[in-house]
C-alpha cells in the first residue's frame, strides 16, 4: 500500500476509476449491441468526443481558477460559422489560415470575457452568461441567418474527417483526434509541470494567499479566459470539419455538455483541483454513453436521464470517496514522518 | 428610503431604466399603456417570471438551481403522459406538482444533506429531469386537453387578468412577506451571507435549504403546468434554455450571485424592465436573438457600471488625501 501510495496520488486514483468506468461501459455495450467493436463505432464516438474534449480543456483551465466559462457554446458556433464562411469565399486559402480565423475569433471572445472579469471585477458566471447571449446574437445578426453548406466548402475540409494520420490495427486516427491528443498532452504538461500552469491551481485554491505572495492574479485569469476562447475556436473548426453544414444555431447548449465533461472528469467546480486528462476522460465517457445509447433503439430517450445520473454520481463520489482517499494519504504521510527520526537513531 | 438615496441605489437605476424604456415605447405606440398590451406583456413571459421569484430565494440563500427549466418541461410532460393514459386531468396536475416536489427534494438532499455544490447537482438535474421528460413523451406532441385546462393559461378570468398572472401576483406578495417580514426570510439572508456563522448560531441550516429547493421544484412544476395550458400542447423540449433567462432576471434585479444580498423589489423592477424591453424591441421589429443579446449586455453593464463608478470614486479619494 505504501509503495502504491507514494507513486499514485488520490486524484490519479480517481482518473483510474474513470478509466475503469469507460472500460466497463464499453464492455457492457459490446455485449448488448451486435457488431459494436467496429472501426465505425470508434469513428462515431471519436468525432463527437474531440469537439467536447477540446472545449473541455479550456474549461478546465478556467474552472481550476474558481471561475466558469458559459460562453463556449456560442464561441464554438461562431467560430465554426465564420471559419466556414471565409473558407467558402476563398477556396484557395491555406488550411492554417482557416484554423487561425477560428482560433482568432475564439481569442477575441475569450479576451472580452477576461477583461470584463479582471478589470470590470464582475463574477465570471454573470459575464459569460451575458456573452453567451451576446455572441450568439451577433452571430445571428451578422450572418443574416444563412447556412454554411458542405457544397460551399473547399474539398480539404470536407475530406478532413476521413484524413487519417496513422492507424492502430483497424482504428483510424484522424487529424481531429491527433489534434485533440496533442492539445491534451500540451495542456496537461503546462498545467502540472510549469510554474505558469501551477498558478491556475494556486489562484483557484486560495485567491487571497495567491494575492499575498504576489502572484499576477489578473494576468493569469485573463490568460485562462483567452485560452478557453482559443480552444473553443479550435473546437469550432473541428465542428465545421465534422458536420460541413453549419447553421446559426450550431453548438447551442454545448456549454452544458462541456461543463458536464469537466465535472464528471473530477475537476472541482469550486476551483483548485482537477486535471486536463481527467476532463478528457470525462468527455470520453460522456461521448461513449451518448453515441452507444443512440445505437440501442429502445433507450434513445434514456440518454439524458442516464447522463444526469452519471454527473450526480461523479460529483457525489468526488465528495465522498476522494475526501477519504486524501485523508488516508495524509495519514500515511504523517506516519512516515514519525518513523524517520527512529530510523536515524539506529545505525545499521 | 429618502429620495436622494433611492436615486443612488440599485432600484433607482432600474427605475430609471424602466422609465426610459416605457417612455420610448409610449412614443412609439400610443396604445402601449393600454390594459390589453400590459396583460399581453406579462402573458408572454409569465412562466419565467413566476420561477424567477423562487430563484430569488435560492440565490439569496447562496445557492443556484439550474434545473428549473427541465422541471417545467418534466411537469408538462407528466401531465401530457398521464392524461393520455386515461388519468383524470386534476389528478394529472397534482402528479405534475408532486413530480416537481420530488425533483426539488432530490436536488435539496444532495445540496443540503450531502453538501455537494448546487451548481453541479442542479446541472445534473438539468440534464436528468429533461431526460425523464423525453422518456415520457419521446418525440411526439401531445394536445387535446379539456377546455377548462387550456383556459387556465389563455383566457382572462379575473377581470382582464389570466389565472397565470394572478398566480404570479399572489406568489409575489407571499414571497415578499416571507423574505422581508418573517424570521424564515432572515434565515435565508443569514445563510447566504455566511453558512458557517448561521450553523454556529444554532440555525438548522439543512431543513431550510431543503425546503427552498423543494419550493423551487414545486413552483417550477406549477409554471410548467401553466405553460402547457397556455400553449395547449406539450413537447419534450418545452421550456428548454429558460434557466438562463430566469437567472438573468434575478441578477439584473441586484441580487448578488454570491448570496446574502438583494431584495424582491429589485427583482420586480428588473422583471418589468426586461418585459418592457422585450416588448418595446418587438414593436421596433427587433427579433428574438438580438433581444436576448441586448438583455445579456444589460446584465453585464448593470454590474460593470457600479463597479466602474466605485473604482473612479476610489481613485478620486486617493488623489485628495
Amino acid at each position: 500500500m505504501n509503495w502504491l501510495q507514494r507513486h499514485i496520488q488520490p486524484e490519479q486514483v480517481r482518473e483510474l476509476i474513470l478509466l475503469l468506468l469507460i472500460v466497463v461501459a464499453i464492455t457492457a455495450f459490446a455485449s448488448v449491441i451486435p457488431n459494436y467493436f467496429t472501426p465505425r463505432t470508434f469513428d462515431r464516438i471519436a468525432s463527437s468526443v474531440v469537439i467536447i474534449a477540446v472545449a473541455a480543456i479550456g474549461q478546465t483551465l478556467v474552472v481550476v481558477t474558481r471561475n466558469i466559462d458559459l460562453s463556449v457554446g456560442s464561441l464554438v458556433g461562431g467560430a465554426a460559422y465564420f471559419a466556414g464562411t471565409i473558407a467558402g469565399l476563398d477556396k484557395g486559402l491555406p488550411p492554417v489560415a482557416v484554423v487561425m480565423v477560428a482560433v482568432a475569433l475564439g481569442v477575441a471572445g475569450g479576451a472580452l470575457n477576461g477583461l470584463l472579469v479582471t478589470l470590470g471585477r464582475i463574477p465570471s458566471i454573470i459575464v459569460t452568461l451575458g456573452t453567451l447571449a451576446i455572441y450568439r446574437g451577433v452571430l445571428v445578426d451578422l450572418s443574416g441567418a444563412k447556412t454554411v453548406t458542405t457544397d460551399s466548402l473547399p474539398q480539404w475540409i470536407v475530406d478532413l474527417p476521413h484524413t487519417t494520420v496513422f492507424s492502430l490495427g483497424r482504428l483510424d486516427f484522424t487529424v481531429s483526434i491527433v489534434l485533440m491528443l496533442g492539445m491534451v498532452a500540451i495542456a496537461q504538461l503546462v498545467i502540472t509541470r510549469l510554474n505558469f500552469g501551477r498558478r491556475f491551481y494556486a489562484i483557484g485554491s486560495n485567491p487571497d494567499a495567491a494575492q499575498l505572495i504576489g502572484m499576477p492574479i489578473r494576468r493569469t485569469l485573463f490568460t485562462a479566459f483567452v485560452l478557453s476562447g482559443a480552444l473553443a475556436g479550435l473546437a469550432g473548426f473541428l465542428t465545421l470539419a465534422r458536420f460541413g453544414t453549419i447553421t446559426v444555431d450550431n453548438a447551442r447548449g454545448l456549454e452544458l455538455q462541456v461543463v458536464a465533461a469537466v465535472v464528471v472528469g473530477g475537476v472541482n467546480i469550486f476551483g483548485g483541483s482537477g486535471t486536463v486528462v481527467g476532463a478528457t476522460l470525462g468527455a470520453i465517457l460522456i461521448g461513449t454513453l451518448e453515441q452507444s445509447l443512440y445505437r440501442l433503439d429502445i433507450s434513445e430517450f434514456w440518454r439524458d436521464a442516464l447522463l444526469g445520473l452519471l454527473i450526480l454520481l461523479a460529483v457525489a463520489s468526488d465528495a465522498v470517496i476522494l475526501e477519504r482517499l486524501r485523508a488516508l494519504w495524509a495519514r500515511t504521510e504523517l506516519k512516515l514522518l514519525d518513523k524517520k527520526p527512529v530510523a536515524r537513531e539506529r545505525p545499521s | 428610503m429618502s429620495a436622494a438615496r433611492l436615486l443612488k441605489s440599485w432600484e433607482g437605476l432600474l427605475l430609471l431604466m424602466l422609465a426610459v424604456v416605457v417612455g420610448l415605447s409610449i412614443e412609439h405606440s400610443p396604445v402601449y399603456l393600454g390594459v390589453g398590451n400590459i396583460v399581453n406583456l406579462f402573458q408572454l413571459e409569465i412562466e419565467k417570471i413566476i420561477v424567477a421569484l423562487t430563484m430569488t430565494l435560492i440565490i439569496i440563500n447562496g445557492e443556484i438551481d439550474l434545473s428549473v427549466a427541465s422541471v417545467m418541461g418534466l411537469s408538462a410532460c407528466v401531465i401530457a403522459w398521464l392524461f393520455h393514459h386515461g388519468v383524470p386531468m386534476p389528478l394529472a396536475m397534482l402528479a405534475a406538482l408532486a413530480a416537481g416536489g420530488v425533483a426539488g427534494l432530490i436536488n435539496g438532499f444532495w445540496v443540503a444533506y450531502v453538501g455537494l455544490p448546487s451548481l453541479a447537482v442542479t446541472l445534473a438535474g438539468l440534464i436528468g429531469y429533461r431526460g425523464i421528460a423525453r422518456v415520457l413523451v419521446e418525440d411526439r406532441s401531445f394536445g387535446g386537453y379539456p377546455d377548462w385546462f387550456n383556459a387556465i393559461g389563455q383566457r382572462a378570468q379575473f377581470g382582464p387578468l389570466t389565472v397565470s398572472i394572478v398566480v404570479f401576483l399572489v406568489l409575489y406578495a407571499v414571497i415578499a412577506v416571507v423574505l422581508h417580514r418573517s424570521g424564515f426570510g432572515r434565515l435565508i439572508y443569514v445563510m447566504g451571507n455566511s453558512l458557517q456563522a448561521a450553523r454556529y448560531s444554532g440555525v438548522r441550516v439543512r431543513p431550510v435549504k431543503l425546503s427552498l429547493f423543494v419550493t423551487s421544484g414545486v413552483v417550477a412544476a406549477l409554471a410548467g403546468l401553466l405553460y402547457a395550458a397556455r400553449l395547449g400542447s406539450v413537447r419534450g423540449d418545452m421550456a428548454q434554455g429558460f434557466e438562463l433567462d430566469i437567472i438573468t432576471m434575478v441578477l439584473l434585479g441586484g441580487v448578488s450571485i454570491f448570496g446574502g444580498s438583494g431584495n424582491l423589489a429589485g427583482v420586480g423592477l428588473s422583471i418589468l424592465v426586461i418585459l418592457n424591453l422585450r416588448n418595446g424591441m418587438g414593436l421596433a421589429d427587433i427579433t428574438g436573438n438580438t433581444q436576448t443579446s441586448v438583455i445579456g449586455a444589460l446584465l453585464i453593464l448593470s454590474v460593470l457600471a457600479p463597479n466602474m463608478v466605485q473604482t473612479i470614486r476610489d481613485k478620486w479619494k486617493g488623489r485628495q488625501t
Side-chain angles (χ1 to χ4, degrees):
Chain A
M1 192 65 198
N2 270 341
W3 180 85
L4 262 180
Q5 282 182 328
R6 225 169 298 144
H7 288 87
I8 302 177
Q9 292 300 307
E11 284 75 14
Q12 287 166 320
V13 173
R14 192 188 158 119
E15 277 156 25
L16 284 175
I17 294 175
L18 210 54
L19 204 59
L20 199 70
L21 264 179
I22 295 173
V23 173
V24 168
I26 290 177
T27 328
F29 284 124
S31 65
V32 187
I33 303 172
N35 293 329
Y36 187 72
F37 284 122
T38 56
R40 209 163 147 241
T41 311
F42 175 78
D43 238 29
R44 195 181 274 162
I45 295 177
S47 61
S48 151
V49 166
V50 286
I51 296 168
I52 301 179
V54 167
I57 298 171
Q59 188 72 253
T60 307
L61 299 180
V62 173
V63 172
V64 158
T65 65
R66 209 181 267 195
N67 283 285
I68 196 164
D69 185 354
L70 292 175
S71 70
V72 285
S74 298
L75 281 180
V76 169
Y81 187 88
F82 285 112
T85 310
I86 286 172
L89 286 178
D90 179 4
K91 293 198 182 184
L93 222 55
V96 177
V98 178
V99 177
M100 288 313 285
V101 166
V103 173
L105 252 163
V107 167
L112 180 59
N113 287 340
L115 276 180
L116 287 168
V117 170
T118 54
L119 290 185
R121 286 179 293 139
I122 311 173
S124 57
I125 189 169
I126 294 186
V127 168
T128 55
L129 201 59
T131 52
L132 169 74
I134 295 173
Y135 296 155
R136 182 67 66 180
V138 170
L139 169 62
V140 175
D141 276 347
L142 289 185
S143 63
K146 279 190 224 107
T147 298
V148 174
T149 58
T150 314
D151 303 339
S152 70
L153 292 177
Q155 196 58 36
W156 64 268
I157 292 184
V158 182
D159 288 341
L160 204 64
H162 317 294
T163 312
T164 307
V165 178
F166 66 92
S167 299
L168 264 183
R170 280 158 66 217
L171 304 180
D172 295 331
F173 283 71
T174 60
V175 177
S176 306
I177 301 177
V178 172
L179 210 58
M180 176 201 98
L181 291 176
M183 285 295 151
V184 170
I186 293 172
Q188 175 76 8
L189 285 178
V190 166
I191 203 171
T192 54
R193 295 273 175 259
L194 293 189
N195 269 340
F196 166 75
R198 300 307 301 174
R199 274 189 209 141
F200 290 84
Y201 289 103
I203 290 172
S205 63
N206 194 337
D208 295 336
Q211 173 120 46
L212 284 176
I213 61 167
M215 276 191 183
I217 293 193
R218 283 184 174 180
R219 206 169 64 208
T220 311
L221 285 184
F222 181 74
T223 316
F225 278 98
V226 169
L227 287 175
S228 175
L231 286 158
L234 187 63
F237 173 76
L238 295 174
T239 308
L240 173 69
R242 181 188 179 197
F243 294 107
T245 304
I246 303 290
T247 66
V248 291
D249 261 341
N250 187 276
R252 207 182 268 264
L254 188 77
E255 62 278 352
L256 292 177
Q257 273 181 310
V258 171
V259 174
V262 168
V263 171
V264 169
V267 180
N268 189 337
I269 201 85
F270 292 142
S273 76
T275 64
V276 170
V277 169
T280 313
L281 289 174
I284 293 176
L285 183 57
I286 289 177
T288 308
L289 285 180
E290 274 206 310
Q291 296 298 319
S292 308
L293 288 172
Y294 182 73
R295 297 260 305 265
L296 287 170
D297 288 342
I298 38 158
S299 310
E300 188 192 334
F301 295 97
W302 284 97
R303 206 173 61 186
D304 286 349
L306 280 176
L307 194 57
L309 195 65
L310 179 73
I311 297 171
L312 195 59
L313 285 180
V315 183
S317 74
D318 197 43
V320 180
I321 299 174
L322 204 59
E323 281 309 307
R324 300 242 163 105
L325 284 179
R326 284 208 186 107
L328 189 67
W329 256 252
R331 242 179 288 140
T332 326
E333 223 160 82
L334 279 181
K335 266 184 214 155
L336 285 178
L337 285 178
D338 282 348
K339 275 177 195 161
K340 264 181 195 160
V342 183
R344 239 181 262 149
E345 279 169 10
R346 268 183 282 163
S348 53
Chain B
M1 204 185 278
S2 69
R5 266 183 62 198
L6 178 70
L7 273 178
K8 278 189 197 159
S9 71
W10 190 280
E11 289 74 28
L13 194 72
L14 284 170
L15 216 52
L16 191 71
M17 274 194 237
L18 186 62
V20 171
V21 175
V22 172
L24 286 174
S25 301
I26 292 174
E27 201 181 15
H28 205 273
S29 155
V31 294
Y32 194 82
L33 283 183
V35 175
N37 191 48
I38 291 177
V39 167
N40 217 1
L41 198 82
F42 274 90
Q43 265 301 93
L44 283 177
E45 308 251 316
I46 188 73
E47 299 84 12
K48 288 182 197 169
I49 66 180
I50 288 175
V51 180
L53 298 178
T54 41
M55 186 67 85
T56 307
L57 298 181
I58 298 259
I59 295 184
I60 289 179
N61 193 237
E63 305 289 346
I64 198 156
D65 188 351
L66 295 175
S67 72
V68 283
S70 295
V71 173
M72 288 167 77
L74 176 63
S75 141
C77 290
V78 165
I79 292 178
W81 190 82
L82 287 177
F83 182 68
H84 281 262
H85 284 73
V87 176
M89 199 52 164
L91 222 58
M93 288 161 67
L94 275 180
L97 294 183
V102 171
L105 205 60
I106 294 172
N107 289 340
F109 169 76
W110 288 105
V111 174
Y113 286 86
V114 184
L116 302 183
S118 54
L119 190 70
V121 171
T122 57
L123 177 69
L126 165 87
I127 298 174
Y129 302 143
R130 175 69 61 189
I132 299 172
R134 286 256 166 76
V135 171
L136 289 177
V137 306
E138 301 193 339
D139 45 7
R140 286 164 291 174
S141 165
F142 285 96
Y145 304 109
D147 278 343
W148 62 265
F149 179 70
N150 291 341
I152 294 177
Q154 294 161 1
R155 215 163 297 152
Q157 288 174 330
F158 298 88
L161 304 180
T162 59
V163 175
S164 308
I165 294 179
V166 173
V167 166
F168 169 75
L169 294 175
V170 170
L171 203 62
Y172 189 92
V174 170
I175 290 183
V177 170
V178 169
L179 188 59
H180 298 301
R181 287 282 177 275
S182 79
F184 188 78
R186 294 317 301 166
L187 285 188
I188 295 176
Y189 277 100
V190 170
M191 285 165 61
N193 267 319
S194 170
L195 197 59
Q196 288 292 342
R199 192 178 290 136
Y200 292 154
S201 326
V203 177
R204 295 175 61 197
V205 293
R206 288 169 166 181
V208 175
K209 253 191 209 316
L210 184 69
S211 65
L212 286 180
F213 276 97
V214 172
T215 311
S216 174
V218 173
V219 169
L222 178 65
L225 184 157
L226 294 170
Y227 195 34
R230 178 156 73 88
L231 297 185
S233 86
V234 168
R235 288 195 337 187
D237 62 352
M238 266 179 76
Q240 198 154 14
F242 278 18
E243 63 277 349
L244 296 186
D245 284 2
I246 292 167
I247 293 169
T248 303
M249 282 176 186
V250 177
L251 296 183
L252 186 61
V255 177
S256 161
I257 188 77
F258 302 117
S261 75
N263 60 54
L264 209 59
V267 175
L269 282 171
S270 126
I271 287 173
L272 286 176
V273 167
I274 289 183
L275 291 182
N276 281 294
L277 203 58
R278 274 201 190 268
N279 188 300
M281 285 192 285
L283 289 177
D285 276 340
I286 297 171
T287 54
N289 269 300
T290 318
Q291 285 182 19
T292 312
S293 60
V294 168
I295 289 166
L298 200 63
L299 174 67
I300 293 176
L301 279 178
S302 66
V303 186
L304 184 64
N307 279 356
M308 285 305 184
V309 170
Q310 187 65 43
T311 310
I312 293 167
R313 198 179 286 162
D314 288 350
K315 278 207 179 132
W316 190 248
K317 269 186 192 154
R319 204 171 287 167
Q320 276 180 331
T321 49

